[in-house]
Amino acid sequence: MSRLMLRIGKGSCVNADKVLFIVDADADKVRRILNRYGLNRSSKTVFDATSENETRSLLMLDDGSMAISSISGSVLAKNFQSKIRPKDL
C-alpha cells in the first residue's frame, strides 16, 4: 500500500488506494446517487469536501463511503493518474 493522498478540495484528502471510482457530477446527480444508496449529505458515510462551493464530483471509496468534491472529476482523475508510479503498474 502506497499511502498516497489525493486532494479533493479545501484542504481535504483521501487515500488514493481507497478510491474505487470518480464521477463527474453536479448537485442533482450527487443527490440522486446518494438517494439510490439511501444516503444524504449529512450521513455518516458521506464526506462533503465542497465547503459550500459548487459540487463537481463524487468519489466512491472501497469501504462504501463517499466523498463529495468541488473539484471536477477530470481534474481529480488527472491528479490520481499522476500519483501512480511506474513501479506500481
Side-chain angles (χ1 to χ4, degrees):
M1 193 175 294
S2 62
R3 305 265 189 212
L4 294 172
M5 302 302 284
L6 178 65
R7 289 179 179 260
I8 61 171
K10 303 298 178 190
S12 300
C13 299
V14 296
N15 186 337
D17 293 332
K18 303 283 185 182
V19 177
L20 294 178
F21 60 83
I22 301 170
V23 178
D24 258 333
D26 60 8
D28 289 333
K29 188 172 183 180
V30 167
R31 191 175 306 112
R32 285 192 302 271
I33 292 169
L34 293 176
N35 284 339
R36 186 177 305 148
Y37 287 95
L39 302 170
N40 60 44
R41 284 180 182 259
S42 62
S43 299
K44 292 181 181 180
T45 58
V46 177
F47 178 70
D48 187 352
T50 60
S51 298
E52 299 183 16
N53 289 316
E54 184 178 350
T55 298
R56 298 199 178 178
S57 62
L58 176 75
L59 295 87
M60 175 65 114
L61 307 178
D62 67 353
D63 63 357
S65 61
M66 297 183 194
I68 303 169
S69 176
S70 59
I71 299 174
S72 73
S74 58
V75 171
L76 287 173
K78 180 180 172 186
N79 293 343
F80 185 78
Q81 289 175 344
S82 71
K83 300 284 185 199
I84 300 173
R85 294 171 281 175
K87 68 179 183 178
D88 292 339
L89 297 177

